[in-house]
Amino acid sequence: MMPTEQNPDRDRRPILIVLHQERSSAGRVGQLLVEKGYCLDIRRPVLGDPLPTTLADHAGAVVFGGPMSANDPDDFIKKEIDWIEVPLREKRPFLGICLGAQMLVRHLGGKVQPNADGSTEIGWYPLHPTEKGRLLMHWPKMVYHFHREGFELPHGADLLAEGDAYPNQAFHYDGNAWGLQFHAELTRVMMHRWVVHGAHRFILPNAQQGREHLEGRMLFDAPLRAWLTEFLDLVFEGKSAKARPSITLHA
């Protein structure tokens, strides 16, 4: 692998990675952060790892997804939701992905719940950036999902992207916190594992079959990866992404 050019002004502290299963990994998010020159501090609270009382020694935090719900009564779920006060209070970069985003929403007083019709997003689905999202950066047209619950937009948050089945797909809160309902972090190996171990969910309403997950990866993954590397620069380094040119309409 060719060495990547590192930003000499980049924060040299590690990024806190919060995972929710013994075999979970930071996937492509972790790979890209390491390529950008960050170290990773991986914690699994579900297995008893403590979360830091301050992020003074970290460049930011990423809370990933998992098979559990942000509404579950488990102690580690409640403690993680409460812990999100730390990055918010200290104005540290925070990224929540799927369950991590839903925990952020719960912390901010919003609801996390399934659609009334029981529909899911499991597979590849269209993404529609809002005006604020388009001004921020380019977005992929299709993204990968594996969830049965969605979230309300927290009070004071900016909606950046929308979906068809679950409207709220990406948001920005108070300058430093970001939430994504979809998954851009899956490597090829991770997707194959999810397709095998999650096959029992393919019978759920609106879920796609395993072959559609894998075929979709061949079609849609390259732009999703390109978006992710730019998005991580935005979250952790404050770099302005390449926004879509505005179009002036004349009467």
Side-chain angles (χ1 to χ4, degrees), residues 29-187:
V29 165
Q31 293 173 357
L32 289 173
L33 289 173
V34 169
E35 287 179 16
K36 295 175 188 295
Y38 291 98
C39 293
L40 307 180
D41 177 5
I42 297 176
R43 312 273 183 111
R44 293 178 171 85
V46 65
L47 299 182
D49 293 343
L51 292 174
T53 57
T54 176
L55 284 180
D57 295 327
H58 293 83
V62 185
V63 177
F64 285 78
M68 56 287 294
S69 168
N71 297 317
D72 286 348
D74 305 72
D75 285 343
F76 84 92
I77 293 285
K78 296 178 180 178
K79 288 179 180 178
E80 272 193 53
I81 291 172
D82 291 342
W83 175 84
I84 293 175
E85 172 64 21
V86 173
L88 296 183
R89 182 182 66 243
E90 297 180 355
K91 303 293 185 182
R92 307 299 292 160
F94 175 89
L95 172 59
I97 299 174
C98 199
L99 174 63
Q102 294 171 356
M103 287 179 164
L104 173 59
V105 169
R106 285 290 313 278
H107 181 83
L108 295 172
K111 292 181 180 178
V112 173
Q113 58 192 11
N115 280 343
D117 63 1
S119 59
T120 66
E121 286 180 318
I122 298 176
W124 293 91
Y125 301 89
L127 187 71
H128 313 292
T130 64
E131 180 64 21
K132 288 184 178 180
R134 286 191 294 271
L135 291 174
L136 191 66
M137 65 187 304
H138 290 289
W139 293 78
K141 293 181 179 180
M142 299 287 287
V143 292
Y144 188 69
H145 288 275
F146 217 107
H147 69 95
R148 293 181 290 178
E149 293 181 310
F151 53 75
E152 290 181 333
L153 184 68
H155 179 71
D158 291 325
L159 184 63
L160 302 179
E162 299 174 298
D164 296 332
Y166 284 84
N168 300 324
Q169 291 290 328
F171 68 91
H172 184 207
Y173 178 80
D174 197 26
N176 297 89
W178 307 77
L180 302 176
Q181 180 61 79
F182 56 89
H183 294 277
E185 80 276 14
L186 267 69
T187 63

Side-chain angles (χ1 to χ4, degrees), residues 186-197 214 217:
L186 267 69
T187 63
R188 181 180 57 82
V189 171
M190 288 172 67
M191 182 170 289
H192 277 270
R193 188 167 67 245
W194 285 26
V195 166
V196 171
H197 293 290
L214 303 177
R217 182 177 180 85

Side-chain angles (χ1 to χ4, degrees), residues 28 32 36 137-138 140 184 220-233:
R28 194 157 53 190
L32 289 173
K36 295 175 188 295
M137 65 187 304
H138 290 289
F220 309 124
D221 187 63
L224 183 58
R225 185 190 190 282
W227 170 85
L228 179 60
T229 189
E230 198 171 80
F231 182 70
L232 292 175
D233 285 342

Side-chain angles (χ1 to χ4, degrees), residues 1-7 31-32 34-37:
M1 179 182 296
M2 293 289 290
T4 57
E5 182 179 352
Q6 295 183 10
N7 177 5
Q31 293 173 357
L32 289 173
V34 169
E35 287 179 16
K36 295 175 188 295

